[in-house]
Amino acid sequence: IYGFVKKANNAMTLASNNLVDGLVPNMVGMDLKDAVYVAEKNGLKVNIAGRAKVVSQSLGAGENFVKGQTIRLTLDWKN
């Protein structure tokens, strides 16, 4: 289980980002180190553009993929 903090209504809550084998994880908002770890742990090869946090990914979260497939992560300072 990989998680993240959600802020809403002056409160912060922890939410899980469940990793499902064979489905592309949502890495938007992650820093580079975490995103590469999650992608490679799931069998994806990673192509990186930019620095800071992931703002987009070439394979949609929840889509099926084949192990060894490449995902392009675009990072920026916006998050």
Side-chain angles (χ1 to χ4, degrees):
I1 296 176
Y2 195 86
F4 57 95
V5 176
K6 288 171 52 173
K7 295 183 212 174
N9 301 326
N10 294 326
M12 294 190 331
T13 58
L14 294 176
S16 67
N17 188 358
N18 295 327
L19 302 177
V20 179
D21 209 25
L23 297 181
V24 176
N26 181 8
M27 294 173 279
V28 172
M30 291 184 186
D31 62 28
L32 176 61
K33 183 175 161 184
D34 290 338
V36 169
Y37 173 80
V38 168
E40 290 181 345
K41 182 164 178 52
N42 280 277
L44 289 163
K45 292 183 179 179
V46 182
N47 180 289
I48 301 159
R51 299 196 300 156
K53 293 194 177 203
V54 177
V55 293
S56 67
Q57 57 190 68
S58 62
L59 302 174
E63 289 181 8
N64 292 314
F65 72 94
V66 177
K67 294 216 185 268
Q69 190 170 348
T70 300
I71 186 168
R72 180 175 180 84
L73 301 177
T74 303
L75 294 88
D76 201 344
W77 298 101
K78 293 178 186 175
N79 286 343

